[in-house]
Amino acid sequence: MKYFCLPRFSMISMLTGNGSFVTEFVLAGLTDRPELQLPLFYLFLIIYIITVVGNLGLIILIGLNPHLYTPMYYFLFNLSFIDLCYSSVSSPKMLMNFVFEKNSISYEGCMTQLFFFLFFVISECYMLTSMAYDRYVAICNPLLYKVTMSPQVCSMLSFASYGMAFAGASAHTGCMLQLIFCNANVINFYLCDILPLLQLSCTSTYVNEVVVLIVVGINITVPSFTILISYVFILANILNIKSTQGRSKAFSTCSSHIMAISLFFGSGAFMYLNHSGSMDQGKISSVFYTNVVPMFNPLIYSLRNKDVKIALKKVMMRVHSRFIS
């Protein structure tokens, strides 16, 4: 308990001034079984390449096609940017775990990774919520869609998403910076995340645990509740559609969206709110929202979309005509 009496100097000077404090962490990775390292490396490398190509391709495609400058594709543009960024925050270090015997990360690097990982994950929560609201307005109030989802409203929703993410990431990272890490420095995870870091602290983590319950609870409950209400109204409207083809198309779109949302929020809730589960269970669930969801989002939200297919054909024709000329 003597650590509570220590003066709060800058973190770097405190760490370098006393050899008992941790200056770097070691990431344990997904598994320590040697026979799984190479297969998992290739598996997650393929997933990461697909994620980068899919999301970056969608960003470029939306940017090059003015007819995709609509609220729906504005949010898809932001979602792809978020998926690309937060996958890039976690995947390179994960891949290094499979090929290096010791995968270390500095204290400052760990806290930076923690902040940006949380920032992009929380951003995704609220961007998915904004997309659900956009679909609600499009289906339930189509005549007022252009007025309700004006560029100003879309900008406000996206800035609010990033604002909530900044607040949440700052709260978690700020509380983590108050903790002191002594001799234990092996993080039983493949990235610097909240719960694995709390296990290494040699000071009380009570405040951090309360912050986790409050901030994570808000960032899961509020978006989930908003999405649920939006889809209740959407479902009620779909059931009133007389055309069987129109109803089937709407159901198909909604089911894909709900599946992706359930995967993201479900795995996140299991990871952060299920304290009785083991860390190995947490690793498995976290893989879904750090690797699988960013890979599937471009497929679920856009590649099945007729507008995106038309835009892709136009871009391919332009590239082909330039090569011929």
Side-chain angles (χ1 to χ4, degrees):
M1 300 298 292
K2 63 182 179 179
Y3 297 110
F4 288 112
C5 301
L6 288 173
R8 304 268 177 130
F9 302 118
S10 76
M11 189 57 64
I12 296 176
S13 63
M14 184 174 69
L15 290 172
T16 55
N18 190 325
S20 66
F21 294 120
V22 170
T23 58
E24 72 171 17
F25 294 100
V26 176
L27 297 169
L30 271 179
T31 179
D32 56 359
R33 295 174 61 180
E35 69 274 14
L36 294 178
Q37 301 298 321
L38 198 58
L40 287 176
F41 170 77
Y42 286 118
L43 172 64
F44 285 103
L45 178 62
I46 291 169
I47 289 174
Y48 182 56
I49 291 172
I50 294 172
T51 301
V52 171
V53 172
N55 286 290
L56 188 60
L58 187 57
I59 290 170
I60 295 171
L61 193 64
I62 294 173
L64 291 177
N65 289 272
H67 77 276
L68 296 181
Y69 294 175
T70 64
M72 175 182 172
Y73 293 104
Y74 171 80
F75 292 122
L76 277 174
F77 182 93
N78 280 274
L79 185 69
S80 293
F81 170 75
I82 292 168
D83 282 337
L84 179 64
C85 289
Y86 94 72
S87 179
S88 298
V89 167
S90 60
S91 292
K93 270 293 178 185
M94 173 191 270
L95 292 171
M96 288 173 67
N97 273 311
F98 297 126
V99 293
F100 291 108
E101 188 175 341
K102 182 182 178 182
N103 186 18
S104 59
I105 183 171
S106 68
Y107 176 89
E108 294 82 5
C110 186
M111 294 300 118
T112 302
Q113 185 187 52
L114 174 68
F115 175 83
F116 282 106
F117 176 70
L118 293 173
F119 175 79
F120 288 117
V121 168
I122 298 172
S123 296
E124 175 124 348
C125 290
Y126 288 98
M127 201 58 66
L128 288 171
T129 308
S130 300
M131 291 171 67
Y133 177 70
D134 172 69
R135 291 299 84 203
Y136 157 74
V137 177
I139 294 173
C140 299
N141 296 294
L143 297 178
L144 298 175
Y145 180 70
K146 288 187 177 180
V147 177
T148 305
M149 300 303 296
S150 64
Q152 292 78 12
V153 171
C154 292
S155 298
M156 184 186 70
L157 288 172
S158 62
F159 282 127
S161 300
Y162 293 125
M164 290 294 292
F166 181 80
S170 298
H172 285 303
T173 309
C175 289
M176 195 65 69
L177 288 169
Q178 302 303 311
L179 298 180
I180 296 174
F181 301 92
C182 302
N183 297 317
N185 72 332
V186 179
I187 300 174
N188 187 21
F189 210 53
Y190 55 86
L191 59 89
C192 293
D193 203 359
I194 302 167
L195 301 183
L197 282 169
L198 293 183
Q199 294 178 348
L200 300 182
S201 174
C202 53
T203 53
S204 173
T205 60
Y206 175 76
V207 174
N208 299 72
E209 290 170 6
V210 171
V211 170
V212 168
L213 287 175
I214 293 173
V215 176
V216 174
I218 291 172
N219 291 328
I220 289 179
T221 304
V222 173
S224 299
F225 184 75
T226 306
I227 291 169
L228 179 63
I229 294 298
S230 298
Y231 272 100
V232 166
F233 284 108
I234 289 172
L235 184 61
N237 247 270
I238 290 174
L239 293 175
N240 289 327
I241 297 175
K242 295 180 181 180
S243 168
T244 306
Q245 186 179 359
R247 192 184 304 160
S248 175
K249 184 179 178 181
F251 267 123
S252 176
T253 305
C254 292
S255 63
S256 299
H257 194 185
I258 291 170
M259 180 181 67
I261 289 170
S262 301
L263 192 64
F264 180 80
F265 283 101
S267 57
F270 183 85
M271 174 66 188
Y272 292 104
L273 300 179
N274 181 30
H275 293 286
S276 60
S278 67
M279 185 53 66
D280 289 333
Q281 290 176 326
K283 288 180 183 180
I284 295 170
S285 65
S286 66
V287 164
F288 283 97
Y289 72 84
T290 58
N291 300 88
V292 178
V293 172
M295 179 184 68
F296 276 125
N297 274 345
L299 303 174
I300 292 172
Y301 292 111
S302 58
L303 294 184
R304 295 176 60 190
N305 189 290
K306 189 180 293 184
D307 292 334
V308 173
K309 288 180 180 179
I310 293 171
L312 184 59
K313 285 181 181 178
K314 287 182 178 179
V315 171
M316 295 299 291
M317 287 175 64
R318 281 187 217 162
V319 173
H320 182 68
S321 61
R322 285 183 182 177
F323 276 113
I324 292 175
S325 59

